Amino acid sequence: MEFPVRSEVDDLIDPQPLPGFARVRYQPPTERLDDPVGAAREGLDALDLDGLPADATVAVGVGSRGIDRVDEVAAAVVERLAERGFDPVVVPAMGSHGGATPEGQREVLEALGITEETVDAPIDAGMAAEELATVSVGDADLPVYFAEAALAADAVLVVNRVKAHTNFTGPIESGLAKMTVVGLGKQRGAKAFHSTAIAEGYVETLTAALDVIERETPMIGGIALVENFEEEIGHLEAVPAGSFLDREPELLERADAEMPTLPVDDVDLLVVDEIGKEISGAGMDTNVIGRYRVLNAPDPETPDIDLIYVRGLTEATKGNGNGIGLADLTRRAAVDQLDLTKTYANALTSGSLSKSKLPVVAPDDEFALRTALTALGGYDPETVRIVWIRNTEDLGELRVSDAVVSDLPEAATVAGRETVGFDDGTARFEEAVGDESGA
């Protein structure tokens, strides 16, 4: 696909004067779990494993990206299982991620630091032939699928973070229940779930499918992680099977209270340097940007962001640009990073097609910002409210336009003043002349 080069569009929009920016450190109070590895071992012992036979095979479902120290926690769970005489096997529990291939899912795990060597256990991706990867379980109105590799085990547990979901709001969102239903359902299970959930409701579908799985499979529980504002593990606990729906609402409340958010809710333009699957399933955390863009689910009430400009993809996402459709603008450099096969695998499985649409593609940063500021209407550099972040996970340091500074909360401090310049169209920040406010 050919996109306009700068010379072809340069005279369509006049240059705009940019506001000054403040470099801000944002550090709300938060709690950190000092020894998640030890807590994982203790948590595993709290689950009821005594009824399992000696040498029982225990499938450990993992695979969500961006979780703090997930490799260490997974290795601790596997090690403790082995110490107790069981035979652990790691099963990727990530629906269609990794392009819905065994090689892709192993690649995702490796990016998380989880390999057969690091956890000292085999990894059964179980997707060599899709019709053999999952089996239909139970007798219910909705189709429910479960990974054959997990179903063949004597027991199954999952390790996942409890957090706000990127598509819906409810008493249970992303966590142990969702990993069990969607993650261990592989591509067929994920597709069946999302197809039903769009029509019937996410929480209702998740609850019904989990009920089937708990009846028909050897689920024994899960290790739930809750992260703090700094994306560190703040809490860890073991939850037995049959209790996911009881415990997750309280864990979700804790996660919501600690969830990284922007320091202000009213934003004219949000600039995001990078999106990626390790940051959020939707590339950008939809709760941070205030956009779900899914059928039958209203967007969050806050924050209120008029326009979003995405500058690129992370290296770790390996071209999976799911979520780029949540932006209004991007640049050619980001499009050049896209692997549409991986991106479309997410869109076609989830049914959330808008997240994989291409926004308007600008030739470079300079023209993208010029376009965005003009599109706001009545642009005034003295009053425009711009927030510029690296990504929606790393919000401890960010930049805001001068008009935003007076609205910053107490947890945010100004570390310096900057201006934006351009090097061959690429944005760069420079210290403002005469600024003595910070490092």
Side-chain angles (χ1 to χ4, degrees):
M1 181 181 294
E2 294 294 328
F3 297 99
V5 297
R6 181 68 177 267
S7 61
E8 294 174 326
V9 294
D10 209 29
D11 60 347
L12 296 178
I13 300 178
D14 294 332
Q16 301 289 343
L18 293 175
F21 283 84
R23 187 173 68 254
V24 174
R25 293 195 180 100
Y26 184 36
Q27 298 177 312
T30 190
E31 294 184 14
R32 177 177 178 270
L33 183 62
D34 291 330
D35 184 17
V37 169
R41 292 172 60 89
E42 293 177 5
L44 184 69
D45 287 341
L47 295 176
D48 184 11
L49 306 178
D50 294 336
L52 295 177
D55 299 324
T57 300
V58 180
V60 181
V62 294
S64 287
R65 293 192 249 194
I67 301 176
D68 178 46
R69 301 177 68 177
V70 67
D71 53 338
E72 298 176 47
V73 171
V77 169
V78 168
E79 180 182 53
R80 185 58 183 145
L81 286 170
E83 288 174 354
R84 295 190 56 175
F86 302 124
D87 185 15
V89 56
V90 172
V91 178
M94 59 185 79
S96 66
H97 296 180
T101 68
E103 296 81 9
Q105 297 213 334
R106 283 177 174 270
E107 184 180 69
V108 172
L109 289 184
E110 185 175 0
L112 300 178
I114 299 173
T115 65
E116 293 185 344
E117 291 72 28
T118 60
V119 298
D120 195 21
I123 295 176
D124 191 339
M127 295 180 68
E130 184 57 38
E131 67 272 18
L132 299 178
T134 58
V135 294
S136 178
V137 295
D139 182 14
D141 293 336
L142 74 160
V144 179
Y145 297 92
F146 202 68
E148 191 173 67
L151 192 61
D154 297 301
V156 183
L157 64 90
V158 291
V159 178
N160 199 24
R161 168 181 52 193
V162 175
K163 63 182 289 289
H165 196 270
T166 57
N167 277 5
F168 67 95
T169 301
I172 52 170
E173 297 183 28
S174 184
L176 302 179
K178 180 175 177 289
M179 175 170 272
T180 301
V181 172
V182 181
L184 286 176
K186 300 288 188 178
Q187 196 275 339
R188 290 175 73 189
K191 187 175 186 301
F193 167 78
H194 286 291
S195 178
T196 304
I198 289 173
E200 303 295 334
Y202 284 87
V203 174
E204 293 80 2
T205 304
L206 193 57
T207 301
L210 181 65
D211 182 59
V212 172
I213 290 172
E214 289 183 328
R215 288 200 316 265
E216 303 293 336
T217 74
M219 286 294 303
I220 58 172
I223 302 296
L225 313 173
V226 178
E227 292 184 333
N228 60 25
F229 178 87
E230 302 292 342
E231 301 292 334
E232 301 168 326
I233 297 175
H235 178 72
L236 182 153
E237 73 175 71
V239 183
S243 299
F244 289 180
L245 301 182
D246 295 328
R247 283 298 301 146
E248 284 200 40
E250 184 175 334
L251 295 173
L252 181 59
E253 286 186 11
R254 179 168 184 159
D256 286 346
E258 295 270 0
M259 181 174 62
T261 58
L262 300 175
V264 293
D265 288 333
D266 183 14
V267 179
D268 295 326
L269 172 63
L270 175 67
V271 181
V272 183
D273 286 337
E274 59 185 10
I275 65 171
K277 291 294 292 184
E278 81 280 13
I279 294 168
S280 172
M284 298 181 279
D285 190 325
T286 55
N287 296 284
V288 172
I289 66 172
R291 296 182 179 184
Y292 290 157
R293 297 298 194 265
V294 295
L295 296 176
N296 301 325
D299 285 345
E301 293 184 4
T302 57
D304 181 13
I305 299 174
D306 293 332
L307 293 176
I308 298 176
Y309 168 43
V310 166
R311 301 181 65 234
L313 277 59
T314 65
E315 173 63 28
T317 201
K318 303 297 182 183
N320 189 336
N322 185 55
I324 198 166
L326 295 170
D328 303 287
L329 277 164
T330 189
R331 59 175 177 166
R332 179 60 189 266
V335 173
D336 289 343
Q337 294 177 280
L338 286 174
D339 182 327
L340 290 180
T341 299
K342 291 180 179 178
T343 304
Y344 281 16
N346 265 187
L348 299 177
T349 299
S350 68
S352 186
L353 304 181
S354 64
K355 292 185 178 66
S356 291
K357 292 180 179 179
L358 274 184
V360 171
V361 179
D364 53 38
D365 285 325
E366 186 176 7
F367 193 81
L369 291 172
R370 184 192 303 182
T371 301
L373 296 176
T374 300
L376 289 173
Y379 170 66
D380 182 349
E382 299 297 323
T383 61
V384 69
R385 299 175 64 84
I386 302 175
V387 176
W388 194 310
I389 63 176
R390 179 184 175 191
N391 56 57
T392 58
E393 182 180 63
D394 184 7
L395 299 177
E397 184 166 317
L398 61 153
R399 294 176 172 91
V400 301
S401 59
D402 288 341
V404 177
V405 172
S406 61
D407 291 335
L408 292 173
E410 290 184 3
T413 58
V414 173
R417 297 281 180 171
E418 299 178 326
T419 59
V420 179
F422 298 96
D423 183 4
D424 291 331
T426 300
R428 67 180 187 278
F429 281 94
E430 300 176 344
E431 290 290 336
V433 175
D435 176 63
E436 299 178 355
S437 60

